[in-house]
Amino acid sequence: MRKTLIATTVASVFLLSACSPEQANTQSQPIVETQKKNTESIFFKPSPLQYMAPEFDKISTNDYEPAFEAGIAEQKTEILKIANNPEPATFENTLVAMELSGELLDRVSDAFFNLSGLISDSEYQRIDAKMAPILSAHTDDIYLNQALFNRVQAIYDNAENLSAEDKHLVDFYFKKFINAGAKLNEADKVRMREINAELAKLSTDFSQNLLKSFKEDVILVTDKTELAGLSDGEIASLAAAADKAGKEGYMITLVNTTRQPILQSLENRKLREKIWTTSANRAQATNGPIILKETKLRAEKAALLGFKDWASYVLTMRMAKTPENVYGILDDLAPKAVAKAEAEAEQIQQVINKSGETFALQPWDWAFYAEKVRQEKYDLDPALVKPYFEMQSVIHDGLFFAMNKLYGITFKERKDLPVYHEDVTVFEVFNEDGSAIGLFYMDPYAREGKRGGAWMSAYVGQSGLKGTKPVIYNAQNIPKPAEGQPTLMTFSEVTTLFHEFGHAAHGLFSDVKYPSLAGTKTSRDFVEFPSQANEDWNVEPTVLANYAKHYKTGEPIPKELLAKVLESQKFNQGFDTTEYLAAALLDMEWHSFGVDADITDVQKFEHDALDKHGIAYYPVPPRYKSCYFSHTFAGGYSAGYYAYLWTEVFAADAFTHMTEKGGLTRKNGDHFRKEILSKGNSRDLMQSYIEFRGQKPTTDALLKRRGLVE
């Protein structure tokens, strides 16, 4: 969910409940009978472990299908009982009953959809492909049930005497039913089910094609001299990756964005071009046709529900409300960002020319020569910086230290709890008074079978109604060093780690009654606010002094070097902002045409969309090109990728406010926890911000942070 890395997917990459209309889709269809040997499943009973943590050491892929089958059948019975209750509809016998339904299905879904992104293999992919339309049909059976909707409507029409949180749940469900098609006629409901079924399949196929791409679209180097510019440790890591894959030489694996971090160091221009081209063109043959089908179906679904396009439909459920509001902020920033990127390109071209080269700046050159500009401007050598950001120090002396100063919480490693991979570490989290908050799993390294990017999700969500405490995890894709070597992080990876824990804190500190409103279950254009706000603490002076120490000597990072690191963070903001805005605008354009549009060429549409907004600047491509844009075609961010910028407005404004109020203090932390992190979606989100800040946010702090104004 990191704004510069997330693929998530699900970017984000948050897990969508099996009962979410965003994941839902299709006709009701019988579940294929599971093989007789699969009649038992570990999911049939709640985990006996503390906090109901998953029994990872006992979970088998054989457990999923029987649990899905039984879970769907169980919830179907529960929902029909609610819908057909002869008693008048009440908040308790309808909405609370719905919140309590589907316990088994939630349990197996949470495990499966988390682990399928962490340790995926062919069996996970087979089950995912099979279950997507079945789960979609089940969701449609709930939200297109007329008798059930009639009860929700009755409660919605008579909600004046309910508490504020109860009213919010009523409003949540009413909108969910309406947006799922509850008011459609029977013929349109049938078509809605068909569309949802196909969308579920297409989204799954898109995601699985990307997983295959991470495995297949690798760059194998056999001549070590081509790796000039990389450190010995980085070269050893590439050799280890090749060896693990059964290949000779050095294997370069792509990260999820168009930008590939390795390009910053590689001196060999032909290899840089090969890596960038592989990255930019991946999955075109497999995912291009999916995009055309998926966007047309989304447009048709929106039309069925009375909207001119998918973006208009989606944004009714977001803080932004309308596409016009989103385009307004993106188009306002685009020319400023491109102008700054062009100025940066001029500096880079000068460095290229001074080196005796005659070529014009290309996308695969930007990172390499921008780094030379950075070094010249700030006299900063990345190889001298990374030894001060050893991962365990960053986690314990940086992140955990900052969270203790802000919130008084502490972390205790739990080696007695099972994990799904040897790289994973588990921590129990406590309040200052010793009371337990929940569990936090840290999964930092890239590996085969793990999707790209960085994200947070939950195995168990917090709920006052159910009496559950949160079980949360963070995942990143930091390259794993050769055995026995320390994990030395880039400053960007450090920032990502803090970002993802911002999401984790949102889940851990949740204090909400109803599970549908708890933790990170807010609108997409709010959920990135706590994570981006948490990034800022990694550069707070007290925190930096505590963790930025040389991994060998323990010496603190020299003040002069640290100053250069911090100052250099303002560098290349034209590039960063342009590549982000290009992706956000691309996402919006894919969802801003009606059902009659005839789009046949993905690459042409992509170019025309960027050109339309004046952001088709070749040296700075979109952060995600369409065919690997998981956020929008396989996750929950369709017509929503703008949310990272939208929420950065909140984050910059909030951090400026806290800085003015004393910075890293318990008073600031406790206030942020109370008004933002603990509330989830239990009240109006802007109201939560106003309760914290005293007013709505302004863009002043963001523009200064991005270097777009003086």
Side-chain angles (χ1 to χ4, degrees):
M1 302 166 72
R2 163 85 174 120
K3 62 178 181 293
T4 55
L5 295 177
I6 185 169
T8 139
T9 128
V10 178
S12 345
V13 263
F14 295 102
L15 181 68
L16 298 178
S17 163
C19 292
S20 165
E22 290 184 46
Q23 185 187 36
N25 312 309
T26 129
Q27 298 174 330
S28 178
Q29 50 184 284
I31 298 178
V32 179
E33 183 179 356
T34 309
Q35 295 178 348
K36 290 183 179 180
K37 68 177 182 178
N38 293 341
T39 56
E40 294 297 326
S41 169
I42 194 171
F43 299 111
F44 284 171
K45 295 180 181 179
S47 168
L49 298 179
Q50 190 178 11
Y51 305 103
M52 292 190 290
E55 296 180 275
F56 293 117
D57 54 336
K58 297 180 181 179
I59 294 175
S60 163
T61 50
N62 290 333
D63 291 314
Y64 292 121
E65 290 172 88
F68 272 124
E69 179 177 358
I72 290 171
E74 178 181 277
Q75 190 175 40
K76 186 171 291 187
T77 299
E78 293 167 339
I79 291 297
L80 289 175
K81 183 178 179 181
I82 296 168
N84 299 326
N85 187 344
E87 297 294 324
T90 68
F91 182 81
E92 292 291 333
N93 71 17
T94 302
L95 297 187
V96 173
M98 288 182 69
E99 287 290 279
L100 292 171
S101 71
E103 182 180 336
L104 171 56
L105 184 57
D106 286 345
R107 192 157 55 240
V108 62
S109 296
D110 288 342
F112 177 79
F113 289 109
N114 279 313
L115 291 175
S116 65
L118 294 164
I119 53 172
S120 183
D121 57 19
S122 59
E123 184 64 2
Y124 270 100
Q125 293 171 24
R126 181 193 68 79
I127 297 169
D128 194 9
K130 173 185 174 181
M131 293 310 305
I134 295 172
L135 289 168
S136 173
H138 175 59
T139 302
D140 282 341
D141 287 342
I142 295 173
Y143 291 101
L144 297 178
N145 183 311
Q146 189 63 48
L148 184 59
F149 175 63
N150 290 342
R151 296 179 70 84
V152 174
Q153 177 84 63
I155 299 166
Y156 180 81
D157 291 340
N158 297 278
E160 61 273 2
N161 294 323
L162 295 176
S163 70
E165 187 172 349
D166 289 357
K167 283 182 181 178
H168 214 67
L169 186 69
V170 174
D171 188 61
F172 168 81
Y173 269 109
F174 183 73
K175 288 180 179 177
K176 206 169 184 182
F177 273 88
I178 295 297
N179 288 323
K183 288 191 173 183
L184 297 177
N185 61 43
E186 288 307 312
D188 285 344
K189 284 182 179 179
V190 169
R191 179 55 185 153
M192 181 66 74
R193 290 176 181 273
E194 292 171 349
I195 292 172
N196 287 342
E198 185 65 12
L199 285 174
K201 181 180 184 303
L202 291 170
S203 177
T204 300
D205 290 347
F206 188 99
S207 180
Q208 293 194 357
N209 288 339
L210 273 188
L211 279 172
K212 292 176 184 176
S213 174
F214 280 119
K215 185 175 182 180
E216 297 171 0
D217 293 329
V218 298
I219 296 88
L220 192 65
V221 176
T222 55
D223 183 354
K224 186 178 179 180
T225 62
E226 292 184 17
L227 301 176
L230 300 185
S231 68
D232 291 341
E234 289 168 329
I235 293 173
S237 179
L238 298 181
D243 183 64
K244 187 173 182 179
K247 301 178 184 294
E248 294 280 339
Y250 309 87
M251 191 172 79
I252 299 170
T253 304
L254 300 177
V255 302
N256 200 51
T257 53
T258 306
R259 185 197 317 198
Q260 299 299 310
I262 198 171
L263 298 183
Q264 179 177 297
S265 304
L266 279 173
E267 296 174 4
N268 188 300
R269 189 167 189 253
K270 286 186 178 180
L271 180 57
R272 291 202 309 268
E273 181 178 2
K274 183 177 181 180
I275 294 169
W276 185 89
T277 302
T278 303
S279 172
N281 296 328
R282 74 188 106 150
Q284 285 187 9
T286 53
N287 280 346
I290 288 176
I291 290 169
L292 298 177
K293 293 177 185 177
E294 194 169 352
T295 52
K296 191 169 183 63
L297 284 169
R298 285 173 173 173
E300 183 183 353
K301 179 175 177 177
L304 276 176
L305 294 168
F307 296 92
K308 66 177 183 178
D309 51 47
W310 181 259
S312 298
Y313 161 65
V314 166
L315 287 164
T316 62
M317 299 172 278
R318 305 290 188 250
M319 295 182 76
K321 302 301 182 187
T322 69
E324 290 73 23
N325 288 339
V326 175
Y327 281 121
I329 189 171
L330 298 181
D331 283 333
D332 180 60
L333 287 172
K336 300 182 181 73
V338 172
K340 192 165 183 63
E342 289 174 339
E344 292 168 356
E346 288 181 11
Q347 290 183 312
I348 293 171
Q349 189 66 56
Q350 289 174 12
V351 171
I352 293 172
N353 296 342
K354 285 179 182 178
S355 69
E357 301 288 357
T358 58
F359 58 80
L361 172 65
Q362 300 295 320
W364 50 88
D365 299 315
W366 189 292
F368 181 75
Y369 286 98
E371 186 55 38
K372 291 185 178 298
V373 174
R374 186 200 301 264
Q375 290 177 21
E376 181 179 302
K377 189 172 184 178
Y378 302 105
D379 190 22
L380 184 63
D381 182 353
L384 298 178
V385 175
K386 289 178 70 173
Y388 293 95
F389 299 118
E390 189 275 324
M391 189 174 72
Q392 292 305 315
S393 178
V394 173
I395 292 171
H396 293 273
D397 301 327
L399 177 65
F400 291 176
F401 171 80
M403 296 305 97
N404 175 260
K405 291 295 183 184
L406 272 177
Y407 307 116
I409 61 174
T410 54
F411 299 78
K412 177 185 177 183
E413 187 172 350
R414 291 290 301 271
K415 294 184 178 181
D416 58 313
L417 292 173
V419 293
Y420 53 86
H421 192 276
E422 62 182 4
D423 291 340
V424 179
T425 308
V426 193
F427 300 93
E428 188 172 8
V429 189
F430 298 93
N431 286 308
E432 186 177 40
D433 63 5
S435 58
I437 297 174
L439 292 177
F440 172 63
Y441 291 68
M442 175 73 79
D443 183 354
Y445 294 122
R447 58 176 173 271
E448 185 177 326
K450 185 179 186 181
R451 65 181 175 85
W455 67 97
M456 163 271 181
S457 194
Y459 290 106
V460 180
Q462 180 273 332
S463 168
L465 180 67
K466 293 184 175 183
T468 55
K469 292 184 181 296
V471 178
I472 306 294
Y473 76 88
N474 277 171
Q476 281 187 242
N477 272 277
I478 299 169
K480 190 173 184 179
E483 188 174 354
Q485 297 299 309
T487 303
L488 304 181
M489 303 172 69
T490 66
F491 196 70
S492 176
E493 288 166 342
V494 173
T495 303
T496 299
L497 186 141
F498 273 74
H499 176 100
E500 294 308 328
F501 193 82
H503 287 304
H506 202 179
L508 287 166
F509 291 153
S510 178
D511 188 15
V512 174
K513 183 175 182 180
Y514 303 112
S516 291
L517 305 178
T520 57
K521 293 179 181 177
T522 69
S523 69
R524 295 292 180 189
D525 52 7
F526 185 84
V527 79
E528 295 296 336
F529 160 43
S531 55
Q532 294 193 92
N534 206 60
E535 289 182 22
D536 289 303
W537 299 115
N538 80 324
V539 296
E540 198 279 337
T542 307
V543 178
L544 267 170
N546 204 59
Y547 77 89
K549 299 177 181 179
H550 198 283
Y551 77 100
K552 286 184 177 179
T553 66
E555 291 295 316
I557 187 170
K559 291 182 179 180
E560 183 180 348
L561 180 59
L562 177 58
K564 292 175 182 178
V565 171
L566 299 181
E567 183 64 24
S568 71
Q569 297 309 298
K570 301 175 185 177
F571 176 74
N572 218 36
Q573 279 297 305
F575 181 101
D576 290 346
T577 307
T578 299
E579 69 155 8
Y580 166 77
L581 288 172
L585 285 161
L586 185 59
D587 166 48
M588 287 297 295
E589 285 292 336
W590 273 118
H591 299 103
S592 295
F593 54 77
V595 68
D596 295 328
D598 185 23
I599 313 299
T600 59
D601 188 323
V602 171
Q603 277 68 48
K604 183 178 186 304
F605 180 89
E606 187 172 281
H607 177 270
D608 291 348
L610 299 177
D611 191 56
K612 173 183 175 181
H613 294 278
I615 203 164
Y617 183 46
Y618 180 67
V620 186
R623 183 170 298 165
Y624 301 97
K625 290 198 171 188
S626 302
C627 291
Y628 47 93
F629 204 165
S630 292
H631 288 78
T632 194
F633 298 115
Y637 281 79
S638 59
Y641 191 66
Y642 74 90
Y644 289 94
L645 184 68
W646 184 276
T647 54
E648 193 178 350
V649 171
F650 286 77
D653 187 73
F655 189 73
T656 298
H657 174 69
M658 284 192 274
T659 300
E660 293 169 351
K661 295 291 184 180
L664 188 72
T665 67
R666 279 294 301 280
K667 184 176 181 180
N668 274 334
D670 289 346
H671 186 52
F672 191 72
R673 176 177 178 175
K674 176 186 176 184
E675 301 298 349
I676 302 294
L677 300 178
S678 73
K679 297 300 183 184
N681 195 29
S682 63
R683 68 181 178 192
D684 178 78
L685 297 171
M686 185 60 79
Q687 187 59 40
S688 286
Y689 190 80
I690 292 171
E691 292 296 328
F692 161 72
R693 175 70 168 91
Q695 64 180 51
K696 292 182 179 181
T698 71
T699 60
D700 296 347
L702 171 67
L703 293 173
K704 291 179 181 178
R705 172 182 294 191
R706 289 253 173 181
L708 300 180
V709 298
E710 293 299 329

